[in-house]
Amino acid sequence: MTDTSASGTVEEPEWVVCPACRTMLYRKRLERTLRVCPECGDHHRLTAAQRIEQLFDPGTVEPVEHRVHSVDVLGFTDTEPYARRLDRARTRTGLDEAVVVVRGSVGGAPLVAAVMDFRFLGGSLGSGAGELVTRAAETALGLGHPLLLVSASGGARMQEGALSLMQMAKTSQALGQLDEAGILTISLITDPTFGGVAASFATLCDVIIAEPRARLGFAGRRVIEQTIKQQLPPGFQTAEFLLEHGLVDAIRPRSELRGTLLRILESARPGRPGAGEPGHRNPDDAAVVTDPAALSEVDAWNTVQEARELGRPTTMQYLAGAFDRFDELHGDRMGGDCPAIVGGLARLGRYPVVVVGHQKGATIDELAARNYAMPSPGGYRKAARLFRLAAKLGLPVVTFVDTPGAFPGLEAEEQGQAIAIAENIRLMAGLPVPVVTLITGEGGSGGALALAVADEVLICSRATYSVISPEGCSAILWNDRAQAPKAAEMLRLDARELLRLGVVDGVVPEPERGAQSDHRLAAERVRHALEAAIGRLSTTDGPTLVKRRRNRFRSFGAGTAPQIATNGVSISDDTGHDDEPSR
């Protein structure tokens, strides 16, 4: 029951019912859990004011005053006049519109936010709401501060007709201007987010975070089922469904949202030292080797076997051991989240970076779950999305290569595997930020190169890099897979030969018995090598980086004499052709 105070104001009830599990909850206990049901985990809706209070640093919030009101330009009446609906919503919520715009800080990092309040006509997108979101973007643009958009909406406001529809275009182009200016945008999806909001600003941000079970979609479940009579799967349009299909970056419970937001804001500030420690340094660690003569000759086939050993550190293990922090971002935003490629925002000492890498597995089961690190087209498109984010924010890119090759299946071909690889190669060549690649295990063919068009290409001492696997080469050229050891030797795929040929710029020495024998030491050496490379490259401007990188790859195969040059291949004037087609 509710109580009325002596002043006549209505106080909130002491007990509330969870709409999901129907449990009676003591209100003060519910407030302590940030209005998340302690029994079933349902995230109850928050007002805009409650959301702002939970996310921002206390005492830093300033309203961004915009006297914006929706008006009944159509004279629209359904069961009652639209003007009357607006008046009642304003009286009941104390808000002028369904969006509240503020500026403040999160962990000291500046932030502008536009927060939707579902109580105001279901958070519908009308002219007033669209104008406020647009002005929030313009405020962020003027200040150069990141923008947070918190969505809670049933869709477009029908009572405003086509004017409501135009808000989708207006807000979307405002987000586009922030992209052009290199300003970070973050979307927080809360339940529900549908229609015009979902099809505009809510899904156009650099990073999309969703609360557990939050629903997002263009058309709601009931509309779909009634319109096309299609049976929809359980969990359809929930955050969990969206994550599986690569449409959101992460799901975070309300208790973790502020911390996640802070890490993203810190990771997206280029050229600013982070709070992380510089990491462990062993003064006896060997430097990156750049002279082939300093490396011993190895048996190429043995090296191939070592590069494939299951116990070697994976990308995720290097991220845990060599980096100060990593926040994984999921999905290609086109319907897939390939597990063979991982990536996200990270800190390496004082450098914020974007990391992308092939991910094998620490166990047989994980190896299978990661598709043996053979990416689908969606994996390469996820990588491309992260490369573009790095370019937008001015962050260095670090890539880890460890794959036998891109996945060769039917679905991969149907989805454009070759095109996805080609697009990545072209994209990386033109990134206006430092790019460093480390080959940690197998560097297999175009599946590896799609993450390896870098300013500096490093390789672990027992890793390999080749146009094809030795088994594939021997099957094609000798018609005998048993000739794989010979093919390995002829392909010159080990670190020493690759350094001699100029394909890689340096070799990171592994522990005496290989990286698999001492993950900690291997990670320390990788950290040292990557920090040094980023430090060297970060003093060079973007256009110069692009020019040098393109010149680097332009030089391969550009020799004029029939001898091995630094790029490994020479071009002669002989116009004859072998009977065997080139591979």
Side-chain angles (χ1 to χ4, degrees):
M1 61 180 291
T2 59
D3 294 323
T4 304
S5 67
S7 63
T9 59
V10 177
E11 298 180 349
E12 291 191 63
E14 290 189 3
W15 292 88
V16 296
V17 177
C18 174
C21 67
R22 310 308 298 173
T23 300
M24 288 288 292
L25 302 171
Y26 186 47
R27 182 178 61 81
K28 290 184 178 180
R29 183 189 180 196
L30 185 63
E31 296 295 339
R32 288 195 297 270
T33 60
L34 303 179
R35 301 187 70 83
V36 176
C37 177
E39 300 299 326
C40 71
D42 184 69
H43 283 51
H44 295 195
R45 286 178 188 152
L46 298 180
T47 67
Q50 290 169 332
R51 182 73 65 181
I52 292 165
E53 181 182 6
Q54 288 184 6
L55 294 178
F56 280 81
D57 296 337
T60 68
V61 176
E62 299 178 15
V64 179
E65 295 293 345
H66 296 300
R67 305 304 297 178
V68 173
H69 296 273
S70 285
V71 295
D72 184 16
V73 295
L74 304 182
F76 196 99
T77 299
D78 44 82
T79 57
E80 65 177 317
Y82 175 45
R84 188 180 303 167
R85 288 185 183 275
L86 286 171
D87 289 341
R88 189 168 64 250
R90 290 169 183 146
T91 300
R92 186 167 62 88
T93 64
L95 302 175
D96 292 328
E97 249 300 340
V99 175
V100 175
V101 181
V102 299
R103 54 180 292 196
S105 66
V106 178
L111 182 68
V112 175
V115 183
M116 303 195 78
D117 195 314
F118 194 80
R119 298 174 303 158
F120 196 104
L121 297 182
S124 53
L125 181 61
S127 297
E131 181 68 17
L132 286 166
V133 170
T134 302
R135 293 194 186 185
E138 291 169 347
T139 300
L141 182 64
L143 296 172
H145 292 172
L147 175 67
L148 170 67
L149 299 173
V150 183
S151 301
S153 175
R157 194 172 298 174
M158 294 175 287
Q159 294 90 341
E160 294 187 19
L163 289 178
S164 175
L165 185 66
M166 295 303 105
Q167 305 312 305
M168 296 170 63
K170 182 165 74 177
T171 56
S172 296
Q173 71 181 21
L175 268 290
Q177 289 178 286
L178 293 180
D179 289 337
E180 294 164 5
I183 294 175
L184 175 70
T185 55
I186 305 170
S187 177
L188 174 56
I189 304 298
T190 73
D191 188 65
T193 299
F194 282 109
V197 171
S200 58
F201 59 87
T203 52
L204 288 178
C205 293
D206 299 315
V207 180
I208 302 178
I209 308 296
E211 287 192 326
R213 306 178 197 172
R215 294 166 296 159
L216 176 143
F218 183 60
R221 184 186 191 103
R222 185 175 59 184
V223 172
I224 296 171
E225 289 179 336
Q226 291 180 354
T227 302
I228 64 175
K229 311 301 181 184
Q230 184 176 1
Q231 188 66 34
L232 301 174
F236 178 69
Q237 294 181 321
T238 62
E240 293 73 16
F241 177 92
L242 298 168
L243 183 66
E244 179 184 352
H245 289 82
L247 301 174
V248 300
D249 286 295
I251 299 171
R252 292 290 184 271
R254 196 166 286 165
S255 60
E256 297 179 13
L257 284 175
R258 177 178 157 82
T260 298
L261 188 58
L262 174 57
R263 288 194 303 274
I264 292 171
L265 291 171
E266 287 182 341
S267 295
R269 288 188 285 180
R272 301 184 62 172
E277 295 297 322
H280 299 291
R281 294 287 179 82
N282 185 341
D284 296 326
D285 283 354
V288 172
V289 177
T290 57
D291 180 6
L295 297 170
S296 301
E297 290 189 24
V298 298
D299 180 277
W301 182 242
N302 285 343
T303 301
V304 170
Q305 304 310 306
E306 288 183 302
R308 294 171 176 173
E309 284 198 21
L310 185 61
R312 292 179 68 82
T314 66
T315 293
M316 292 297 283
Q317 288 169 328
Y318 276 122
L319 285 165
F323 288 72
D324 300 297
R325 184 172 65 241
F326 173 66
D327 285 285
E328 186 173 1
L329 302 179
H330 287 269
D332 63 358
R333 301 276 177 87
M334 298 175 67
D337 184 31
C338 174
I341 284 186
V342 297
L345 297 166
R347 275 274 175 181
L348 182 64
R350 68 186 184 92
Y351 299 109
V353 297
V354 169
V355 179
V356 179
H358 299 99
Q359 175 63 15
K360 285 190 174 178
T363 66
I364 293 294
D365 289 343
E366 186 184 354
L367 191 64
R370 296 285 183 176
N371 200 34
Y372 301 90
M374 294 189 293
S376 66
Y380 292 113
R381 289 175 180 132
K382 173 166 64 172
R385 180 173 79 85
L386 294 174
F387 293 152
R388 292 188 184 98
L389 176 60
K392 171 183 171 177
L393 300 178
L395 300 178
V397 171
V398 174
T399 66
F400 288 88
V401 170
D402 187 11
T403 178
F407 186 65
L410 171 64
E411 288 187 2
E413 293 300 320
E414 290 176 338
Q415 295 166 12
Q417 183 72 286
I419 296 170
I421 291 171
E423 291 283 1
N424 266 30
I425 293 171
R426 179 173 63 180
L427 174 62
M428 291 191 76
L431 290 177
V433 294
V435 184
V436 181
T437 290
L438 177 66
I439 302 167
T440 62
E442 292 183 276
S445 192
L449 182 61
L451 296 190
V453 182
D455 301 296
E456 290 196 20
V457 179
L458 306 176
I459 187 169
C460 291
S461 56
R462 303 193 186 193
T464 62
Y465 194 17
S466 177
V467 67
I468 193 172
S469 70
E471 294 90 339
C473 179
S474 63
I476 293 172
L477 298 183
W478 283 278
N479 198 28
D480 180 5
R481 293 179 68 89
Q483 297 296 319
K486 180 179 180 180
E489 180 183 356
M490 299 303 296
L491 285 166
R492 305 287 193 261
L493 46 63
D494 62 89
R496 181 178 184 272
E497 288 298 307
L498 292 164
L499 183 60
R500 184 176 69 86
L501 296 171
V503 173
V504 302
D505 301 289
V507 178
V508 181
E510 298 184 27
E512 185 176 353
R513 297 193 307 276
Q516 65 274 15
S517 69
D518 191 337
H519 285 201
R520 182 193 61 81
L521 180 56
E524 286 182 3
R525 291 181 176 178
V526 164
R527 178 187 178 102
H528 179 79
L530 294 177
E531 274 193 287
I534 293 171
R536 286 190 298 272
L537 295 168
S538 293
T539 61
T540 305
D541 64 84
T544 302
L545 285 170
V546 171
K547 181 178 180 180
R548 289 179 181 174
R549 192 182 312 133
R550 287 174 173 168
N551 285 342
R552 168 196 171 93
F553 288 91
R554 171 66 179 85
S555 72
F556 290 111
T560 56
Q563 61 186 14
I564 293 179
T566 56
N567 54 34
V569 179
S570 294
I571 301 173
S572 71
D573 293 331
D574 185 1
T575 57
H577 300 279
D578 294 331
D579 292 335
E580 186 70 11
S582 175
R583 290 183 171 86

